Amino acid sequence: MTTNKRITLSSDHAAIDLRQVIADHLSTQGWEVVDIGPTSPESTHYPKHGEAAARLVASGDCDLGIILCGTGQGIMMAANKVKGIRCGVCTDAFSARMIRQHNNANMLSLGARVVGEGLALDIVDAFLNADFEGGRHATRVGMIDAIEG
Ligand code: RB5
């Protein structure tokens, strides 16, 4: 079980409802949820929301982050441009577990137009209940970090 307890959430307009479901789920599990919006259903631009959440994680303000857009792909691409962020899109619990265990992901991205609420919460739980294994995986993650310079 992870010891991280402060987590940021963000999304674009396509994922506001699913983001709220995840926020409620995390709150009942004792997480301190830093939900940085948006709250309006008006169309917005996913890169700025992905970047904002990523900066909270990269700065250490939050331990982990979960971001969402329609597919999870665009907001993930934006988040991964922030130095120190390792974010993967997951549509299954196995991948969500593995991006923590092997890739030391510090952010998870979900597609609200791809996964339903039940699957999304399974994916979230798999991500949060897994821990980085280190060892040979630390070498490889270090190689990813080195690409950033
Ligand atoms: C918005 O229509 C949509 O493009 C966005 O939510 C996301 O899927 C982009 O990757």
Side-chain angles (χ1 to χ4, degrees), residues 11-65:
S11 74
D12 72 358
H13 55 281
I16 287 177
D17 291 347
L18 181 56
R19 197 183 81 231
Q20 186 60 55
V21 168
I22 293 170
D24 293 344
H25 179 72
L26 295 178
S27 293
T28 63
Q29 292 184 342
W31 285 86
E32 182 181 350
V33 176
V34 181
D35 188 334
I36 59 170
T39 54
S40 163
E42 285 171 27
S43 182
T44 185
H45 303 303
Y46 59 80
K48 64 181 179 183
H49 302 295
E51 180 189 1
R55 295 214 180 276
L56 287 178
V57 175
S59 70
D61 190 339
C62 291
D63 301 295
L64 295 170

Side-chain angles (χ1 to χ4, degrees), residues 3-15:
T3 55
N4 297 312
K5 279 293 165 193
R6 189 170 156 88
I7 189 164
T8 185
L9 297 184
S10 190
S11 74
D12 72 358
H13 55 281

Side-chain angles (χ1 to χ4, degrees), residues 12-14 46 69-75 113:
D12 72 358
H13 55 281
Y46 59 80
C69 63
T71 59
Q73 302 290 351
I75 201 164
R113 295 173 179 161

Side-chain angles (χ1 to χ4, degrees), residues 105-140:
N106 46 19
M107 296 188 75
L108 168 69
S109 186
L110 295 167
R113 295 173 179 161
V114 181
V115 296
E117 289 182 6
L119 178 55
L121 294 182
D122 272 357
I123 292 168
V124 166
D125 286 345
F127 179 75
L128 297 178
N129 290 326
D131 291 310
F132 183 47
E133 292 178 357
R136 68 186 189 281
H137 303 298
T139 301
R140 295 163 186 167

